[in-house]
mmCIF file of all heavy atoms in Angstrom:
data_model
loop_
_atom_site.group_PDB
_atom_site.id
_atom_site.type_symbol
_atom_site.label_atom_id
_atom_site.label_comp_id
_atom_site.label_asym_id
_atom_site.label_seq_id
_atom_site.Cartn_x
_atom_site.Cartn_y
_atom_site.Cartn_z
ATOM 1 N N GLU A 444 -1.951 10.028 8.511
ATOM 2 C CA GLU A 444 -0.795 10.872 8.259
ATOM 3 C C GLU A 444 -0.522 10.908 6.764
ATOM 4 O O GLU A 444 -0.600 9.895 6.090
ATOM 5 C CB GLU A 444 0.431 10.324 8.994
ATOM 6 C CG GLU A 444 0.261 10.382 10.506
ATOM 7 C CD GLU A 444 1.583 10.214 11.220
ATOM 8 O OE1 GLU A 444 2.571 10.801 10.748
ATOM 9 O OE2 GLU A 444 1.614 9.518 12.233
ATOM 10 N N ALA A 445 -0.176 12.117 6.268
ATOM 11 C CA ALA A 445 0.046 12.241 4.826
ATOM 12 C C ALA A 445 1.246 13.102 4.497
ATOM 13 O O ALA A 445 1.334 13.691 3.440
ATOM 14 C CB ALA A 445 -1.200 12.818 4.168
ATOM 15 N N GLY A 446 2.205 13.195 5.436
ATOM 16 C CA GLY A 446 3.423 13.945 5.137
ATOM 17 C C GLY A 446 3.195 15.443 5.142
ATOM 18 O O GLY A 446 2.443 15.982 5.956
ATOM 19 N N ASN A 447 3.837 16.134 4.220
ATOM 20 C CA ASN A 447 3.762 17.593 4.166
ATOM 21 C C ASN A 447 2.363 18.073 3.774
ATOM 22 O O ASN A 447 1.638 17.396 3.055
ATOM 23 C CB ASN A 447 4.776 18.147 3.161
ATOM 24 C CG ASN A 447 6.199 17.865 3.612
ATOM 25 O OD1 ASN A 447 6.464 17.793 4.800
ATOM 26 N ND2 ASN A 447 7.092 17.705 2.655
ATOM 27 N N LYS A 448 2.030 19.247 4.232
ATOM 28 C CA LYS A 448 0.732 19.831 3.919
ATOM 29 C C LYS A 448 0.720 20.288 2.465
ATOM 30 O O LYS A 448 1.494 21.143 2.050
ATOM 31 C CB LYS A 448 0.469 21.031 4.836
ATOM 32 C CG LYS A 448 -0.945 21.576 4.718
ATOM 33 C CD LYS A 448 -1.172 22.659 5.740
ATOM 34 C CE LYS A 448 -2.602 23.178 5.676
ATOM 35 N NZ LYS A 448 -2.846 24.239 6.675
ATOM 36 N N SER A 449 -0.163 19.677 1.673
ATOM 37 C CA SER A 449 -0.263 20.017 0.261
ATOM 38 C C SER A 449 -1.584 19.487 -0.265
ATOM 39 O O SER A 449 -2.194 18.613 0.344
ATOM 40 C CB SER A 449 0.902 19.406 -0.530
ATOM 41 O OG SER A 449 0.805 17.999 -0.508
ATOM 42 N N PRO A 450 -2.071 20.002 -1.417
ATOM 43 C CA PRO A 450 -3.320 19.485 -1.989
ATOM 44 C C PRO A 450 -3.255 17.992 -2.279
ATOM 45 O O PRO A 450 -4.239 17.272 -2.128
ATOM 46 C CB PRO A 450 -3.470 20.300 -3.279
ATOM 47 C CG PRO A 450 -2.703 21.549 -3.031
ATOM 48 C CD PRO A 450 -1.546 21.152 -2.167
ATOM 49 N N SER A 451 -2.095 17.486 -2.710
ATOM 50 C CA SER A 451 -1.977 16.066 -3.031
ATOM 51 C C SER A 451 -2.080 15.195 -1.795
ATOM 52 O O SER A 451 -2.430 14.012 -1.874
ATOM 53 C CB SER A 451 -0.655 15.799 -3.753
ATOM 54 O OG SER A 451 0.437 16.120 -2.906
ATOM 55 N N ALA A 452 -1.756 15.759 -0.621
ATOM 56 C CA ALA A 452 -1.834 14.984 0.614
ATOM 57 C C ALA A 452 -3.271 14.574 0.911
ATOM 58 O O ALA A 452 -3.543 13.454 1.335
ATOM 59 C CB ALA A 452 -1.259 15.784 1.779
ATOM 60 N N VAL A 453 -4.207 15.502 0.694
ATOM 61 C CA VAL A 453 -5.622 15.195 0.926
ATOM 62 C C VAL A 453 -6.075 14.094 -0.030
ATOM 63 O O VAL A 453 -6.785 13.164 0.352
ATOM 64 C CB VAL A 453 -6.485 16.459 0.742
ATOM 65 C CG1 VAL A 453 -7.954 16.127 0.955
ATOM 66 C CG2 VAL A 453 -6.028 17.546 1.710
ATOM 67 N N THR A 454 -5.657 14.195 -1.294
ATOM 68 C CA THR A 454 -6.007 13.175 -2.290
ATOM 69 C C THR A 454 -5.463 11.824 -1.885
ATOM 70 O O THR A 454 -6.122 10.795 -2.042
ATOM 71 C CB THR A 454 -5.441 13.564 -3.668
ATOM 72 O OG1 THR A 454 -5.912 14.865 -4.003
ATOM 73 C CG2 THR A 454 -5.861 12.567 -4.725
ATOM 74 N N LYS A 455 -4.252 11.812 -1.336
ATOM 75 C CA LYS A 455 -3.627 10.564 -0.908
ATOM 76 C C LYS A 455 -4.424 9.908 0.203
ATOM 77 O O LYS A 455 -4.662 8.698 0.194
ATOM 78 C CB LYS A 455 -2.199 10.859 -0.445
ATOM 79 C CG LYS A 455 -1.481 9.650 0.150
ATOM 80 C CD LYS A 455 -0.113 10.071 0.630
ATOM 81 C CE LYS A 455 0.570 8.934 1.368
ATOM 82 N NZ LYS A 455 1.878 9.328 1.896
ATOM 83 N N VAL A 456 -4.862 10.709 1.183
ATOM 84 C CA VAL A 456 -5.637 10.173 2.300
ATOM 85 C C VAL A 456 -6.975 9.644 1.819
ATOM 86 O O VAL A 456 -7.399 8.541 2.180
ATOM 87 C CB VAL A 456 -5.849 11.257 3.382
ATOM 88 C CG1 VAL A 456 -6.816 10.754 4.444
ATOM 89 C CG2 VAL A 456 -4.516 11.610 4.024
ATOM 90 N N LEU A 457 -7.668 10.429 1.002
ATOM 91 C CA LEU A 457 -8.963 9.984 0.495
ATOM 92 C C LEU A 457 -8.833 8.718 -0.349
ATOM 93 O O LEU A 457 -9.679 7.830 -0.295
ATOM 94 C CB LEU A 457 -9.601 11.107 -0.343
ATOM 95 C CG LEU A 457 -10.055 12.337 0.455
ATOM 96 C CD1 LEU A 457 -10.564 13.412 -0.499
ATOM 97 C CD2 LEU A 457 -11.140 11.972 1.464
ATOM 98 N N GLY A 458 -7.738 8.631 -1.122
ATOM 99 C CA GLY A 458 -7.521 7.435 -1.925
ATOM 100 C C GLY A 458 -7.304 6.212 -1.063
ATOM 101 O O GLY A 458 -7.781 5.120 -1.374
ATOM 102 N N ALA A 459 -6.587 6.376 0.062
ATOM 103 C CA ALA A 459 -6.337 5.250 0.956
ATOM 104 C C ALA A 459 -7.618 4.779 1.631
ATOM 105 O O ALA A 459 -7.795 3.594 1.906
ATOM 106 C CB ALA A 459 -5.318 5.652 2.019
ATOM 107 N N ILE A 460 -8.551 5.729 1.888
ATOM 108 C CA ILE A 460 -9.793 5.374 2.580
ATOM 109 C C ILE A 460 -10.832 4.831 1.610
ATOM 110 O O ILE A 460 -11.451 3.795 1.854
ATOM 111 C CB ILE A 460 -10.364 6.611 3.309
ATOM 112 C CG1 ILE A 460 -9.371 7.077 4.372
ATOM 113 C CG2 ILE A 460 -11.707 6.288 3.949
ATOM 114 C CD1 ILE A 460 -9.729 8.405 4.985
ATOM 115 N N LEU A 461 -11.014 5.526 0.483
ATOM 116 C CA LEU A 461 -12.106 5.176 -0.422
ATOM 117 C C LEU A 461 -11.777 3.981 -1.314
ATOM 118 O O LEU A 461 -12.671 3.227 -1.684
ATOM 119 C CB LEU A 461 -12.442 6.403 -1.296
ATOM 120 C CG LEU A 461 -12.917 7.638 -0.525
ATOM 121 C CD1 LEU A 461 -13.150 8.790 -1.487
ATOM 122 C CD2 LEU A 461 -14.178 7.338 0.265
ATOM 123 N N ASN A 462 -10.516 3.811 -1.656
ATOM 124 C CA ASN A 462 -10.180 2.710 -2.558
ATOM 125 C C ASN A 462 -8.869 2.043 -2.129
ATOM 126 O O ASN A 462 -7.908 1.991 -2.891
ATOM 127 C CB ASN A 462 -10.043 3.230 -3.990
ATOM 128 C CG ASN A 462 -10.200 2.114 -5.009
ATOM 129 O OD1 ASN A 462 -10.526 0.990 -4.654
ATOM 130 N ND2 ASN A 462 -9.942 2.426 -6.259
ATOM 131 N N PRO A 463 -8.782 1.513 -0.896
ATOM 132 C CA PRO A 463 -7.519 0.977 -0.387
ATOM 133 C C PRO A 463 -7.075 -0.278 -1.105
ATOM 134 O O PRO A 463 -5.891 -0.541 -1.228
ATOM 135 C CB PRO A 463 -7.837 0.690 1.084
ATOM 136 C CG PRO A 463 -9.318 0.475 1.116
ATOM 137 C CD PRO A 463 -9.884 1.388 0.078
ATOM 138 N N ALA A 464 -8.016 -1.094 -1.576
ATOM 139 C CA ALA A 464 -7.637 -2.359 -2.207
ATOM 140 C C ALA A 464 -6.818 -2.120 -3.465
ATOM 141 O O ALA A 464 -5.795 -2.759 -3.685
ATOM 142 C CB ALA A 464 -8.889 -3.175 -2.534
ATOM 143 N N ASP A 465 -7.257 -1.175 -4.309
ATOM 144 C CA ASP A 465 -6.525 -0.887 -5.540
ATOM 145 C C ASP A 465 -5.142 -0.331 -5.238
ATOM 146 O O ASP A 465 -4.161 -0.667 -5.901
ATOM 147 C CB ASP A 465 -7.303 0.114 -6.398
ATOM 148 C CG ASP A 465 -8.495 -0.548 -7.083
ATOM 149 O OD1 ASP A 465 -8.517 -1.791 -7.133
ATOM 150 O OD2 ASP A 465 -9.388 0.179 -7.536
ATOM 151 N N GLN A 466 -5.073 0.528 -4.226
ATOM 152 C CA GLN A 466 -3.795 1.130 -3.885
ATOM 153 C C GLN A 466 -2.802 0.080 -3.394
ATOM 154 O O GLN A 466 -1.657 0.038 -3.834
ATOM 155 C CB GLN A 466 -3.999 2.189 -2.800
ATOM 156 C CG GLN A 466 -2.713 2.952 -2.459
ATOM 157 C CD GLN A 466 -2.917 3.862 -1.276
ATOM 158 O OE1 GLN A 466 -3.472 3.447 -0.261
ATOM 159 N NE2 GLN A 466 -2.494 5.089 -1.386
ATOM 160 N N LEU A 467 -3.252 -0.800 -2.513
ATOM 161 C CA LEU A 467 -2.364 -1.822 -1.984
ATOM 162 C C LEU A 467 -2.032 -2.869 -3.035
ATOM 163 O O LEU A 467 -0.946 -3.435 -3.029
ATOM 164 C CB LEU A 467 -3.001 -2.487 -0.760
ATOM 165 C CG LEU A 467 -3.172 -1.588 0.466
ATOM 166 C CD1 LEU A 467 -3.860 -2.352 1.585
ATOM 167 C CD2 LEU A 467 -1.822 -1.089 0.947
ATOM 168 N N ARG A 468 -2.962 -3.121 -3.940
ATOM 169 C CA ARG A 468 -2.690 -4.093 -4.999
ATOM 170 C C ARG A 468 -1.542 -3.610 -5.880
ATOM 171 O O ARG A 468 -0.717 -4.399 -6.344
ATOM 172 C CB ARG A 468 -3.949 -4.321 -5.839
ATOM 173 C CG ARG A 468 -3.806 -5.487 -6.832
ATOM 174 C CD ARG A 468 -5.104 -5.747 -7.572
ATOM 175 N NE ARG A 468 -6.161 -6.180 -6.670
ATOM 176 C CZ ARG A 468 -7.176 -5.422 -6.266
ATOM 177 N NH1 ARG A 468 -7.272 -4.175 -6.698
ATOM 178 N NH2 ARG A 468 -8.081 -5.885 -5.438
ATOM 179 N N ASN A 469 -1.482 -2.306 -6.124
ATOM 180 C CA ASN A 469 -0.393 -1.748 -6.926
ATOM 181 C C ASN A 469 0.952 -1.918 -6.215
ATOM 182 O O ASN A 469 1.989 -2.101 -6.848
ATOM 183 C CB ASN A 469 -0.637 -0.265 -7.204
ATOM 184 C CG ASN A 469 -1.774 -0.046 -8.178
ATOM 185 O OD1 ASN A 469 -2.069 -0.914 -8.990
ATOM 186 N ND2 ASN A 469 -2.426 1.094 -8.082
ATOM 187 N N LEU A 470 0.907 -1.849 -4.869
ATOM 188 C CA LEU A 470 2.141 -1.961 -4.100
ATOM 189 C C LEU A 470 2.618 -3.401 -3.999
ATOM 190 O O LEU A 470 3.752 -3.725 -4.307
ATOM 191 C CB LEU A 470 1.919 -1.398 -2.688
ATOM 192 C CG LEU A 470 1.690 0.107 -2.589
ATOM 193 C CD1 LEU A 470 1.258 0.472 -1.184
ATOM 194 C CD2 LEU A 470 2.951 0.853 -2.963
ATOM 195 N N PHE A 471 1.730 -4.291 -3.541
ATOM 196 C CA PHE A 471 2.143 -5.656 -3.275
ATOM 197 C C PHE A 471 2.063 -6.547 -4.497
ATOM 198 O O PHE A 471 2.652 -7.626 -4.514
ATOM 199 C CB PHE A 471 1.283 -6.249 -2.156
ATOM 200 C CG PHE A 471 1.526 -5.612 -0.821
ATOM 201 C CD1 PHE A 471 0.528 -4.903 -0.181
ATOM 202 C CD2 PHE A 471 2.752 -5.717 -0.208
ATOM 203 C CE1 PHE A 471 0.749 -4.324 1.048
ATOM 204 C CE2 PHE A 471 2.989 -5.136 1.028
ATOM 205 C CZ PHE A 471 1.983 -4.437 1.658
ATOM 206 N N GLY A 472 1.319 -6.132 -5.509
ATOM 207 C CA GLY A 472 1.189 -6.956 -6.696
ATOM 208 C C GLY A 472 2.469 -7.068 -7.498
ATOM 209 O O GLY A 472 2.629 -7.967 -8.307
ATOM 210 N N ARG A 473 3.418 -6.155 -7.271
ATOM 211 C CA ARG A 473 4.661 -6.181 -8.030
ATOM 212 C C ARG A 473 5.521 -7.390 -7.654
ATOM 213 O O ARG A 473 6.172 -7.982 -8.493
ATOM 214 C CB ARG A 473 5.483 -4.918 -7.759
ATOM 215 C CG ARG A 473 4.779 -3.618 -8.084
ATOM 216 C CD ARG A 473 5.650 -2.453 -7.637
ATOM 217 N NE ARG A 473 4.901 -1.225 -7.492
ATOM 218 C CZ ARG A 473 5.320 -0.204 -6.758
ATOM 219 N NH1 ARG A 473 6.467 -0.289 -6.123
ATOM 220 N NH2 ARG A 473 4.586 0.891 -6.663
ATOM 221 N N LYS A 474 5.532 -7.728 -6.368
ATOM 222 C CA LYS A 474 6.415 -8.802 -5.901
ATOM 223 C C LYS A 474 5.661 -9.727 -4.943
ATOM 224 O O LYS A 474 5.965 -9.793 -3.753
ATOM 225 C CB LYS A 474 7.640 -8.215 -5.210
ATOM 226 C CG LYS A 474 8.481 -7.327 -6.123
ATOM 227 C CD LYS A 474 9.743 -6.843 -5.456
ATOM 228 C CE LYS A 474 10.594 -6.019 -6.398
ATOM 229 N NZ LYS A 474 11.864 -5.582 -5.783
ATOM 230 N N PRO A 475 4.670 -10.453 -5.438
ATOM 231 C CA PRO A 475 3.864 -11.295 -4.543
ATOM 232 C C PRO A 475 4.661 -12.409 -3.893
ATOM 233 O O PRO A 475 4.408 -12.763 -2.739
ATOM 234 C CB PRO A 475 2.776 -11.858 -5.471
ATOM 235 C CG PRO A 475 3.366 -11.774 -6.848
ATOM 236 C CD PRO A 475 4.236 -10.549 -6.834
ATOM 237 N N ASN A 476 5.631 -12.982 -4.602
ATOM 238 C CA ASN A 476 6.421 -14.071 -4.021
ATOM 239 C C ASN A 476 7.238 -13.601 -2.830
ATOM 240 O O ASN A 476 7.370 -14.310 -1.825
ATOM 241 C CB ASN A 476 7.355 -14.674 -5.077
ATOM 242 C CG ASN A 476 6.595 -15.410 -6.159
ATOM 243 O OD1 ASN A 476 5.518 -15.934 -5.900
ATOM 244 N ND2 ASN A 476 7.148 -15.457 -7.354
ATOM 245 N N ASN A 477 7.798 -12.391 -2.937
ATOM 246 C CA ASN A 477 8.578 -11.853 -1.832
ATOM 247 C C ASN A 477 7.701 -11.550 -0.628
ATOM 248 O O ASN A 477 8.113 -11.717 0.519
ATOM 249 C CB ASN A 477 9.310 -10.583 -2.267
ATOM 250 C CG ASN A 477 10.316 -10.867 -3.365
ATOM 251 O OD1 ASN A 477 10.874 -11.950 -3.430
ATOM 252 N ND2 ASN A 477 10.537 -9.899 -4.236
ATOM 253 N N MET A 478 6.480 -11.097 -0.887
ATOM 254 C CA MET A 478 5.588 -10.804 0.218
ATOM 255 C C MET A 478 5.175 -12.067 0.969
ATOM 256 O O MET A 478 4.900 -12.033 2.156
ATOM 257 C CB MET A 478 4.345 -10.075 -0.297
ATOM 258 C CG MET A 478 4.588 -8.659 -0.768
ATOM 259 S SD MET A 478 5.186 -7.570 0.564
ATOM 260 C CE MET A 478 6.937 -7.557 0.252
ATOM 261 N N ARG A 479 5.148 -13.188 0.257
ATOM 262 C CA ARG A 479 4.778 -14.434 0.916
ATOM 263 C C ARG A 479 5.853 -14.899 1.898
ATOM 264 O O ARG A 479 5.611 -15.768 2.733
ATOM 265 C CB ARG A 479 4.501 -15.518 -0.134
ATOM 266 C CG ARG A 479 3.110 -15.395 -0.752
ATOM 267 C CD ARG A 479 2.748 -16.649 -1.525
ATOM 268 N NE ARG A 479 3.388 -16.683 -2.832
ATOM 269 C CZ ARG A 479 2.824 -16.179 -3.938
ATOM 270 N NH1 ARG A 479 1.633 -15.617 -3.875
ATOM 271 N NH2 ARG A 479 3.456 -16.249 -5.094
ATOM 272 N N LYS A 480 7.036 -14.322 1.792
ATOM 273 C CA LYS A 480 8.099 -14.649 2.735
ATOM 274 C C LYS A 480 7.836 -14.058 4.126
ATOM 275 O O LYS A 480 8.447 -14.471 5.106
ATOM 276 C CB LYS A 480 9.441 -14.101 2.236
ATOM 277 C CG LYS A 480 10.054 -14.863 1.086
ATOM 278 C CD LYS A 480 11.414 -14.283 0.783
ATOM 279 C CE LYS A 480 12.115 -15.024 -0.339
ATOM 280 N NZ LYS A 480 13.453 -14.422 -0.619
ATOM 281 N N LEU A 481 6.947 -13.082 4.191
ATOM 282 C CA LEU A 481 6.740 -12.364 5.444
ATOM 283 C C LEU A 481 6.417 -13.288 6.609
ATOM 284 O O LEU A 481 6.963 -13.166 7.700
ATOM 285 C CB LEU A 481 5.616 -11.330 5.279
ATOM 286 C CG LEU A 481 5.994 -10.044 4.552
ATOM 287 C CD1 LEU A 481 4.761 -9.213 4.284
ATOM 288 C CD2 LEU A 481 6.994 -9.248 5.367
ATOM 289 N N ARG A 482 5.508 -14.233 6.388
ATOM 290 C CA ARG A 482 5.118 -15.128 7.469
ATOM 291 C C ARG A 482 6.273 -16.003 7.932
ATOM 292 O O ARG A 482 6.438 -16.262 9.120
ATOM 293 C CB ARG A 482 3.936 -15.994 7.021
ATOM 294 C CG ARG A 482 2.625 -15.233 6.935
ATOM 295 C CD ARG A 482 1.456 -16.157 6.641
ATOM 296 N NE ARG A 482 0.206 -15.434 6.621
ATOM 297 C CZ ARG A 482 -0.975 -16.003 6.387
ATOM 298 N NH1 ARG A 482 -1.030 -17.303 6.145
ATOM 299 N NH2 ARG A 482 -2.079 -15.282 6.382
ATOM 300 N N LYS A 483 7.089 -16.472 6.976
ATOM 301 C CA LYS A 483 8.231 -17.301 7.336
ATOM 302 C C LYS A 483 9.257 -16.492 8.123
ATOM 303 O O LYS A 483 9.855 -16.990 9.077
ATOM 304 C CB LYS A 483 8.873 -17.892 6.080
ATOM 305 C CG LYS A 483 7.989 -18.866 5.329
ATOM 306 C CD LYS A 483 8.703 -19.467 4.135
ATOM 307 C CE LYS A 483 9.793 -20.428 4.566
ATOM 308 N NZ LYS A 483 10.415 -21.108 3.403
ATOM 309 N N VAL A 484 9.455 -15.245 7.722
ATOM 310 C CA VAL A 484 10.397 -14.389 8.435
ATOM 311 C C VAL A 484 9.921 -14.134 9.856
ATOM 312 O O VAL A 484 10.693 -14.232 10.820
ATOM 313 C CB VAL A 484 10.579 -13.052 7.688
ATOM 314 C CG1 VAL A 484 11.406 -12.081 8.512
ATOM 315 C CG2 VAL A 484 11.249 -13.280 6.337
ATOM 316 N N LYS A 485 8.641 -13.825 10.019
ATOM 317 C CA LYS A 485 8.092 -13.508 11.338
ATOM 318 C C LYS A 485 8.076 -14.720 12.254
ATOM 319 O O LYS A 485 8.082 -14.584 13.474
ATOM 320 C CB LYS A 485 6.671 -12.953 11.199
ATOM 321 C CG LYS A 485 6.608 -11.578 10.551
ATOM 322 C CD LYS A 485 5.206 -11.021 10.567
ATOM 323 C CE LYS A 485 4.755 -10.741 11.979
ATOM 324 N NZ LYS A 485 3.426 -10.125 12.043
#
């Protein structure tokens, strides 16, 4: 799923498939300590 139909949506999907590690690193790398709380919360 990529939200509204647009040229950037296709780029977003391809980016998630072809290079997911870099994309997720940008997301979770900002607050690694907070992400480590996930297991304790669950």
Side-chain angles (χ1 to χ4, degrees):
E444 295 196 41
N447 295 330
K448 188 174 182 180
S449 66
S451 63
V453 179
T454 305
K455 175 183 174 182
V456 172
L457 291 176
I460 298 171
L461 299 177
N462 201 6
D465 285 344
Q466 185 187 47
L467 293 178
R468 189 176 296 105
N469 289 334
L470 292 170
F471 292 116
R473 302 174 199 159
K474 299 184 177 182
N476 292 331
N477 297 330
M478 290 298 99
R479 280 193 281 270
K480 286 185 178 180
L481 282 172
R482 287 186 177 180
K483 295 183 70 175
V484 172
K485 291 186 66 177

